Amino acid sequence: MNIKTILASAALAMTAATGALAEKTKVGFVYVGPVGDGGWTYEHDQGRKAVVEAFGDKVETMYVESVPEGPDSERVMTNMALKGADLIFTTSFGYMDPTINVAAKFPNVKFEHATGYKQADNVSVYSARFYEGRAVQGHIAGQMTKSNIIGYIGSFPIPEVIRGINSAYIHAKAVNPDVQFKIVWAYTWFDPTKEADAAKVLIEQGADVVLQHTDSTAPQAAAQAAGNVITFGQASDMAAYGPMPRVSSIIDDWAPYYIARTKAVMDGTWTSTSTWDGIGAGMVGIGEISSAVPADIKASAVALRDSLADGSYHAFTGPLNKQDGSTWLAAGETASDYGDGGLAGMNFYLEGIEGDVPN
Amino acid sequence: MDLSSISPTLLVASLMVAATPILLAAIGELVVEKSGVLNLGVEGMMIIGAIAGFAAAVGTGSPIIGFLCAAFGGAALSLVFALLTQFFLSNHVATGLALTLFGLGLSALMGQSYIGIKPPASAKLDLPVISDIPVLGPVLFSHDITVYIALALVAAVWWFLKYTRGGLILRAVGESHDAAHALGYKVVKVRIMAIMFGGACAGLGGAALSLVRVPQWTEGMTAGAGWIALAIVVFASWKPARVLLGAYLFGGVAVLQLNLQAAGVSIPVEYLSMSPYLITIIVLVVMSAHRNKAALNAPAALGRAFHASR
């Protein structure tokens, strides 16, 4: 056997191997935190497991956890694409430009970027209307607070987070005109140490409700230690901290979307789309409102949730002014998704919130 | 902006908690450096302590056993360093850096199944009447046990170095290992004991982070605390009291900047976030500004390998 035949048979074997593998659809997931964070990444991984469950042998999934946002994520995505992934979900805002860059190099691989706004022929974007859940949180928080101070742990000052703050604020204000928001920016999605410190400081400054837009359960633990402080589960139910301090939660449910998009790749019907679903479509869930919340508050919160779900009420309905007092929405007007003053690019606080949006 | 919402009492109380992990690691490293060994593996030993303590506390349900295991874990990892530097005479700096990388990796592996788990709550000091005294109560008498252990250790190390024969030997070894050896002191033995003490302190500091301050386990949760501890030892010119000052200053500014943010002070968040590092280093540099004095205070044999050839 000379070297030529060895090479030839090796090449043959490889073709056969790829042929066998090609029947499986490979789906990759890039996670910003560990799958055990109990919040954001945990729910994305539940979605991945649902894909495995739905398609069994026909699908192969891979994931990389705790991938830093920014250039390093390009390496991870490129690696996945080179390993033969057909579809890659990049599940954090900071993967936006890396996803676009890598997608340009692999035109045959489909990409799905969560919570971003840049699309391409092979890049879809998807997000959930978390601000609908924030409206329910604000509604409960405004009535539950005794100190009238609500603490808010922000991650990064991006539209998704600012929408959440605004939505929670106006709905808390609607039920409690004296309510005040104290906002601390943690500049991280997942860092239990920083999140715990931020929660403790907010509690020390009188907050008896702590809302978080970061992914770990550390603020819940801090609130539990403090005793009389309530919190809401973020991204996942965080039921381990109920009925106090966790009185309800926003649950992200990505499973139906992930299954549908994987199916589309299998059928060859995948096209670049922009999906933004809320409570109505089931992408945002409101976790069980615990026994710590009085029955009448619970009932009105459920009613609010249902009106958001059936579309009879929009979380941003005018009259609403921007922080500087200028009109954003006239009476009865609802916010548009895109364009000037649209929700997708929201980068301003609404009237009544103190402090500036960091830039 | 509403500065009145910041309570000085609670600020002091929480800075003590925030500073404790760094203080524990720094006082341990001070003893190590006084014996003439430069162990840059503090970060690695801290995080091993954090996960060892967390795992033990979760497994047994007892935070005390957790703290003991954390100290043991940190000391065990430091033995690797001791073996390499004291018997194989490897370079202190390179070995210490390797120890940090090894500790970070090993802890991530050990901690795989502990992410997102709640540890048992460690008991706080709660003396009737005394803990309820306004101002003094929250500041002095209502902390977690680690806060008092850290303060006691600082006092003990100060007394040991200044007033005991053991302290004198330790310093002699750190100043001139050849002279100490000529006098018949076991240089390697003294240094190994110092290294293990440093490891145990760093491990305890790690557990103070994972069991008290956060309390949770995540990969890389020390986030540079070990490096801060190292910097504090140098800038405190190897004096226990200044280590205490440096650690509390760092903890204080770290807590204060979050308080200022929550109170709505209009300083950009980025400046506030870097302030603890900046202010701590500036203050300690100014304090040790006398170039000669500071240089004199550094153990003369710091970082030099010892081999009893003569």
Side-chain angles (χ1 to χ4, degrees), chain B residues 49-61 66 69 110-111 114 210-211 217:
Chain B
I51 184 57
F54 192 86
V58 168
T60 61
C69 284
M110 286 165 69
Y114 289 98
S210 66
L211 288 176
W217 162 254

Side-chain angles (χ1 to χ4, degrees), chain A residues 36-39 42-43 216-225 231-234 236-249 251 287-288 290, chain B residues 115-119 216:
Chain A
D37 69 351
Y42 172 80
E43 288 298 329
S216 89
T217 51
Q220 313 274 331
Q224 194 163 43
T231 57
F232 293 81
Q234 159 67 8
S236 186
D237 200 26
M238 302 189 177
Y241 290 90
M244 270 290 276
R246 172 226 164 271
V247 297
S248 181
S249 59
I251 306 172
E288 176 65 23
S290 83
Chain B
I115 296 170
I117 290 181
K118 273 199 282 185
Q216 237 182 34

